[in-house]
Amino acid sequence: MFNSTLFFIWWITHSSCYNVNSSEVYSFKLALDDILAKQLSCLNISLTKDVLAKSKRRVYVYKATGCVEYDEFYMKLSKPIIDEIDKVLAKHYGFTEEELDFIIRSALPLASSKNYDIKYRMGDELSANE
């Protein structure tokens, strides 16, 4: 659930937007029944495998510190699985299709923001002009 767009939106609105702190994690309430826990667990396993498969190992050598090696993760490449997590959470919270669509589209890259703006920010204006 912490790899969902829903959590990201919640975190952006309730935090400093710098680090994810334990207090923020614990205050994101979700009562998990067995079915929900199993669905999210399976999606989490899929997401972990997908993110790892699409990660890149980077190695840099610096004069001052020597060799630094780390993995880069590209979460946007795993968005379809993250969307599935949001669908499970939306069903749990009783969100409408429109609310789920808003959540999923909130994480689209800026390059896609024009379609988002047209649908959500200009919807009434566009309807009035037709």
Side-chain angles (χ1 to χ4, degrees):
M1 79 182 149
F2 299 113
N3 284 314
S4 67
T5 306
L6 179 62
F7 177 76
F8 178 74
I9 293 169
W10 182 89
W11 177 74
I12 287 292
T13 59
H14 290 87
S15 75
S16 66
C17 304
Y18 187 69
N19 291 317
V20 176
N21 299 308
S22 60
S23 61
E24 294 154 357
V25 169
Y26 290 123
S27 61
F28 185 75
K29 303 287 186 210
L30 179 64
L32 296 174
D33 60 22
D34 289 342
I35 295 170
L36 181 64
K38 185 169 182 147
Q39 288 175 322
L40 291 174
S41 178
C42 289
L43 286 167
N44 184 52
I45 291 167
S46 297
L47 180 62
T48 300
K49 289 178 182 178
D50 194 60
V51 167
L52 288 173
K54 295 173 180 173
S55 68
K56 290 185 181 174
R57 173 73 41 114
R58 300 289 189 190
V59 180
Y60 293 98
V61 179
Y62 300 99
K63 288 181 185 178
T65 57
C67 184
V68 175
E69 186 173 341
Y70 64 92
D71 293 325
E72 286 183 353
F73 300 103
Y74 307 96
M75 297 303 289
K76 68 181 179 181
L77 299 178
S78 300
K79 184 154 176 18
I81 300 171
I82 295 169
D83 290 348
E84 290 302 314
I85 293 170
D86 282 311
K87 288 175 185 175
V88 169
L89 292 172
K91 185 176 180 183
H92 171 72
Y93 285 114
F95 294 159
T96 65
E97 285 296 319
E98 185 178 43
E99 290 167 330
L100 173 60
D101 187 52
F102 178 85
I103 290 165
I104 288 173
R105 288 180 181 272
S106 292
L108 291 177
L110 292 175
S112 301
S113 65
K114 182 176 181 182
N115 291 335
Y116 173 87
D117 286 344
I118 288 170
K119 183 168 185 177
Y120 289 105
R121 295 192 181 121
M122 299 176 67
D124 292 339
E125 292 175 30
L126 289 175
S127 298
N129 293 332
E130 292 178 355

